[in-house]
Amino acid sequence: MTTSFARAEVTIDLDAIRHNLALLAAHAASTGAATMAIVKADAYGHGAVPVARAAVEAGAHWLGTCSAGEALALRRAGITVPLFSWLDTADADFESAVAEGVDLGVSSLAELERVAPLGARVHLKIDTGLSRNGCPPAEWPDLVRAAAASKAEVVAIWSHFACADEPGHPSIELQAKRFQVAYDIALEAGLNPLRHIANSAALLTRPDLHFDIVRPGIAMYGLNPVTQQEDLRPAMTFRSSVVSLKRVAAGESVSYGHTWTASQDTNLALVPAGYADGVPRLLSGRMDVWLDGKRRPVVGRVCMDQLMVDCGNDTPAVGSEVLLFGTGEKGEPTAREWADTLGTIDYEIVTSMYRPRVTRRYLGVR
Ligand SMILES: *Cc1c(COP(=O)(O)O)cnc(C)c1O
């Protein structure tokens, strides 16, 4: 038996992060591309600073964050590699970002005007078809000309794929073509920028689209966005433990709404983790946990603070470890399994594990 007494605890294996990043950086290096590890949203719920350090140790040349604030937090933690951030509100602290050497994404003339007078290093974003941020192609010639004439230093042009996780999707070719057109226009404007467009999926499946820098996120956390086999190791494990066991008679119902009724006398293990701790209530009656060497079903509704596991005639000891999701190596559920059941993606599962009541523990700290 593994005893843990964890209430709700997420373990992050930094050796897995290093292994994954090294694998991705080797893919990138095979085409001469540098690697920008994406650590936005607190490193997809894994903890930005420890993950950033591990990624740099394993060969990341750059780190990417969503906001300048996230990038500045990495600087304050003593991280010195080039940083890039791309989505801020107009009142963000661009002065500190520029002073701390954070490169900024620029999608419009208005954004350029905010940061160019500061002498910012900018990466101009062309919207090649995601229709999110990024400069519309019609406005691109004006943006590159204005950038070339400004005090900003244009480091790169970049874009982002809509369907890279569906290899062969026709939008990929279309976006690549528009990216090339945008590059040619930048060259005509007298710029000589780097180029980057590949997320994890494109990094793994489209070496021809690596260009100068690749931007892997999800794959570094060990979650594979494509079906192609890769030696990736999920870095996050979510565990709790048994706090009590009780015998329930056949015919008794369990938890709010009495959605489950015992068909025979059975032992129910009480686990002190609920939807406040990141166990989605929508998984009620649709999830297993790994407890005492096997998968066992969660029965009845998942509550705010607790859930119940049907153990049949087994009697797991109080303190027994309960794996909610992990690498899947033993047969325990994975974040991917939760996502599939819920009709979402594993990105959302791991990213939502950053919660005040969930403790985080790191393995492989150097
Ligand atoms: C999140 C993000 C990435 C990483 O995407 P993954 O699918 O997690 O590899 C790369 N670039 C940008 C702009 C992003 O927002």
Side-chain angles (χ1 to χ4, degrees):
M1 180 193 86
T2 314
T3 308
S4 85
F5 302 113
R7 225 193 134 86
E9 178 184 276
V10 152
T11 307
I12 312 297
D13 182 355
L14 295 174
D15 286 329
I17 299 273
R18 289 186 195 96
H19 164 86
N20 298 330
L21 194 285
L23 180 149
L24 297 164
H27 271 284
S30 72
T31 63
T35 300
M36 177 188 293
I38 303 299
V39 296
K40 65 191 179 191
D42 207 36
Y44 294 38
H46 294 66
V49 170
V51 168
R53 288 200 182 111
V56 171
E57 285 160 3
H61 310 91
W62 291 74
L63 296 169
T65 63
C66 178
S67 68
E70 289 175 329
L72 287 169
L74 296 178
R75 276 286 181 267
R76 281 196 295 275
I79 288 165
T80 56
V81 299
L83 302 178
F84 173 55
S85 76
W86 58 82
L87 181 57
D88 276 293
T89 51
D91 64 343
D93 185 1
F94 296 116
E95 283 189 27
S96 297
V98 172
E100 296 292 339
V102 178
D103 290 14
L104 299 169
V106 163
S107 290
S108 66
L109 280 174
E111 288 178 23
L112 182 68
E113 280 157 18
R114 255 171 237 154
V115 303
L118 306 170
R121 286 166 48 93
V122 299
H123 299 219
L124 302 177
K125 185 172 192 187
I126 175 75
D127 182 359
T128 53
L130 183 59
S131 305
R132 207 168 63 176
N133 62 356
C135 179
E139 293 162 30
W140 181 252
D142 283 348
L143 180 62
V144 291
R145 264 185 254 121
S150 76
K151 276 180 68 186
E153 179 187 344
V154 179
V155 175
I157 71 159
W158 66 294
S159 196
H160 193 49
F161 284 117
C163 308
D165 55 352
E166 297 174 54
H169 193 285
S171 67
I172 299 169
E173 296 316 316
L174 180 62
Q175 289 195 257
K177 222 167 104 195
R178 290 173 172 169
F179 195 50
Q180 181 64 43
V181 171
Y183 181 62
D184 292 339
I185 292 170
L187 293 181
E188 279 163 31
L191 299 171
N192 185 25
L194 300 174
R195 279 177 283 180
H196 51 94
I197 192 169
N199 58 4
S200 297
L203 159 58
L204 292 171
T205 61
R206 293 298 301 260
D208 57 319
L209 299 176
H210 284 177
F211 298 107
D212 300 294
I213 307 170
V214 293
R215 305 191 308 264
I218 197 72
M220 171 174 54
Y221 304 100
L223 305 173
N224 190 339
V226 291
T227 51
Q228 177 177 302
Q229 279 300 307
E230 298 289 342
D231 178 26
L232 296 170
R233 302 184 191 154
M236 183 184 284
T237 297
F238 182 23
R239 59 165 56 77
S240 183
S241 62
V242 174
V243 287
S244 65
L245 196 75
K246 78 160 55 143
R247 190 78 177 159
V248 169
E252 290 294 329
S253 297
V254 173
S255 195
Y256 293 124
H258 276 181
T259 57
W260 185 85
T261 301
S263 57
Q264 52 204 0
D265 294 2
T266 194
N267 293 328
L268 288 187
L270 183 69
V271 177
Y275 59 78
D277 308 289
V279 185
R281 187 170 174 278
L282 284 171
L283 286 180
S284 299
R286 299 201 284 163
M287 66 181 282
D288 294 334
V289 298
W290 184 265
L291 165 55
D292 240 5
K294 61 191 248 196
R295 287 176 78 115
R296 302 171 193 272
V298 169
V299 293
R301 294 243 168 93
V302 172
C303 307
M304 185 184 295
D305 312 306
Q306 46 196 295
L307 55 80
M308 278 61 72
V309 179
D310 184 9
C311 299
N313 287 321
D314 294 347
T315 55
V318 166
S320 297
E321 177 186 76
V322 173
L323 280 181
L324 292 143
F325 66 73
T327 61
E329 269 162 63
K330 286 184 254 194
E332 76 271 34
T334 60
R336 177 61 178 270
E337 180 178 322
W338 279 24
D340 287 347
T341 305
L342 292 165
T344 185
I345 52 177
D346 43 19
Y347 295 67
E348 185 180 1
I349 303 299
V350 292
T351 302
S352 69
M353 291 313 303
Y354 181 47
R355 289 161 187 274
R357 209 164 70 173
V358 176
T359 54
R360 270 199 278 196
R361 201 155 57 86
Y362 288 92
L363 303 177
V365 178
R366 281 185 190 159

